[in-house]
Amino acid sequence: MNNVPFSILDLVPVAAGNTVKQSLNNALDLAQHAETWGYNRYWLAEHHNMTGVASAATSVVIGYIAGGTNTIRVGSGGIMLPNHSPLVIAEQFGTLASLYPGRIDLGVGRAPGSDQVTARAMRRNLTGPDTFPQDVVELQHYFQPAEPGQAVRAMPGAGLNVPIWILGSSLFGAQLAAMLGLPYAFASHFAPDALMQALHTYRTQFQPSETLKKPYVMLGVNVVAADTDEEAKRLFTSAQQQFINLRSGNPGQLPPPVDQPELLDYALRQTGAGQMLRYAVVGSSETVQQGLTNFIDQTQADELMITAQIFDHAARLRSFELTAQAREAILQREVVSVA
């Protein structure tokens, strides 16, 4: 396992009956706890026109989280680059890196993070060719030291070398990350089908760069932990309902859990939501230990990005605390086995 770090991906869920302000305050509270529990990163995701997600202005929320914490890395998982000009993102993350040096990550993705109507409302041109690879290279350039006579520079941003990650849920991102020699984060927490093929593509095609000498992969995984397996399964029904609603074309706020998880089985099969959530570890601390050990053994992940859509904030805190304890138990077990 080699001391695999655990990190957190937060969509800043707006639970039914909650306000955006409550959700943002909950995110900061979770990040502050995560820092004390030893999590490595706290990433936030860009989604638009979704009433159940409060992280649309991702750079703003990153600043809020970074300003309320001290040591944990804070970043985007990710910024959807087709929605923005590379220069604007370089300026935003150059500002964040100037305020919180050594703590800011920039994960970028190729998807719009919204539907086509919403993407048009963001005034981006959707009719031209896919320019994501060129946009990533342009973004890298803005973070390099400015050259004499350079007509356009990111200020702030130039010379800060903000770490860029490629996010993906298909082979495209794996190939691009490998070609550019960048770290790669795969969205296995909702797009599991291409995981193993993407890992093989990235690792076998990887070209060392000034940024990274060997492949580095972070994998998303749903983890819901509670004091018993039964309670964890009940809490997980909020995420299951959210995915069912999304697949049915009815996205909304995060719903409360249901007391009989088996009632969702038919809808999970019919909508394909169950397949999307295939990489989910749900249960007590012991169950989570075993499930995450198996996932790491299967994938040889360098880092895990844990996500948990849990309705009750206290239960969500408890889940991430138990997950951190599971990681420590896995490490201790590994140390004992080596000894």
Side-chain angles (χ1 to χ4, degrees), residues 187 199 246:
L199 289 176
L246 182 64

Side-chain angles (χ1 to χ4, degrees), residues 7-9 41 43 218-222 303-307:
S7 294
I8 292 176
L9 174 65
R41 309 173 202 273
W43 279 12
M218 179 157 55
L219 300 181
V221 59
N222 301 280
E303 188 167 345
L304 294 188
M305 181 62 78
I306 309 296
T307 187

Side-chain angles (χ1 to χ4, degrees), residues 135-160:
D135 287 347
V136 173
V137 172
E138 183 180 343
L139 189 57
Q140 287 182 298
H141 177 69
Y142 285 130
F143 288 131
Q144 298 301 312
E147 300 170 355
Q150 183 174 325
V152 179
R153 64 182 67 188
M155 180 58 200
L160 294 182

